[in-house]
Amino acid sequence: MTSTLTALLYLGLFLSQTVSTEKQNLSKPIIWAKPDFMIPKGKQVRIFCQGTPEAVKYQLYFEGHLFLQQSPKQHGRRNIAMFHIPAMTPLTAGQYKCIYRSKKLWSNPSDPLDLVVTELYDTPTLSVHPGPEVTSGENVSFYCRLGTATNKFFLLKEGRSPHPQHRYGNTQVEFPIGPVTTAHRGTYRCFGSYNNHAWSFPSEPVKLQVT
């Protein structure tokens, strides 16, 4: 009896370690959107999810709920699923994640992808003080103003990852930056917003020159 019990314990430990190893080897997928994470109202967007080469099924989740399923396609050595949203609206803007299945196991979810719908209401104006041409070491402030009262503003620098600065305000907010360096050079736009995923039209661009 003792030897049988010992054998069963070893078998259980072996199976547990095997399953644990399989789960550890099933890495989380990568998720991204094209043409961008900001989509004008009514325009299409494609969401891509990339798992391991052995992935056989992908699922896309929107705000924690199953949204779409898709079989993968091979792109060279990459195993990718593509999910198509034909027209972006406030109802399809929000946070997405994806998972994939390999054999009988499902992966952990991807990092979150936040999609924003834009061009929903008025256009803000963006200005920079003391001016668009400053010297390295100076302090700079961007001012974003919207005629229609809102509660949140976003400032984006073109070419950066989708982590915009934000400030709470009614019709105008200040985005202080500085002391500036040449890394702050670039083109900026701002948006007004009623929530994190529904934004106004973009402001006209403001180009900051740092010498």
Side-chain angles (χ1 to χ4, degrees):
M1 178 64 73
T2 303
S3 60
T4 301
L5 180 60
T6 302
L8 289 173
L9 288 173
Y10 274 114
L11 177 61
L13 179 61
F14 171 76
L15 292 175
S16 175
Q17 290 176 338
T18 301
V19 171
S20 175
T21 301
E22 288 179 343
K23 286 184 177 179
Q24 290 174 1
N25 291 336
L26 207 58
S27 58
K28 67 181 180 182
I30 302 170
I31 189 171
W32 71 95
K34 286 186 176 181
D36 199 356
F37 78 99
M38 298 182 300
I39 315 297
K41 183 181 178 181
K43 300 296 185 180
Q44 67 172 344
V45 60
R46 293 174 296 164
I47 301 174
F48 295 88
C49 188
Q50 179 182 347
T52 62
E54 298 78 24
V56 296
K57 181 70 70 176
Y58 286 82
Q59 290 183 342
L60 182 68
Y61 284 78
F62 174 58
E63 297 293 343
H65 301 285
L66 180 60
F67 186 65
L68 292 170
Q69 294 191 98
Q70 189 66 263
S71 297
K73 293 183 179 180
Q74 293 296 136
H75 295 265
R77 295 184 177 182
R78 299 192 301 169
N79 184 302
I80 297 174
M82 190 272 285
F83 302 92
H84 181 233
I85 300 176
M88 196 68 174
T89 72
L91 296 178
T92 55
Q95 189 172 95
Y96 290 83
K97 294 181 181 181
C98 68
I99 62 173
Y100 67 91
R101 180 169 63 84
S102 178
K103 297 180 180 178
K104 295 183 178 180
L105 295 176
W106 285 95
S107 71
N108 288 322
S110 66
D111 291 334
L113 170 68
D114 288 294
L115 291 188
V116 173
V117 60
T118 64
E119 301 187 359
L120 291 182
Y121 46 96
D122 290 350
T123 303
T125 57
L126 180 64
S127 59
V128 60
H129 298 274
E133 297 184 7
V134 294
T135 305
S136 181
E138 285 190 63
N139 290 314
V140 168
S141 287
F142 284 94
Y143 291 90
C144 187
R145 179 177 177 79
L146 189 64
T148 304
T150 185
N151 57 21
K152 200 171 187 179
F153 291 83
F154 291 89
L155 179 69
L156 280 80
K157 181 183 178 186
E158 289 185 1
R160 296 191 63 183
S161 60
H163 298 292
Q165 297 185 52
H166 69 270
R167 293 283 189 276
Y168 292 96
N170 189 5
T171 58
Q172 179 174 289
V173 295
E174 177 187 2
F175 292 93
I177 298 177
V180 297
T181 68
T182 53
H184 291 96
R185 290 174 180 165
T187 302
Y188 293 78
R189 294 177 186 266
C190 75
F191 297 78
S193 170
Y194 287 112
N195 64 60
N196 289 338
H197 301 106
W199 295 5
S200 70
F201 282 82
S203 68
E204 288 296 319
V206 171
K207 190 172 184 179
L208 182 66
Q209 297 279 4
V210 182
T211 59

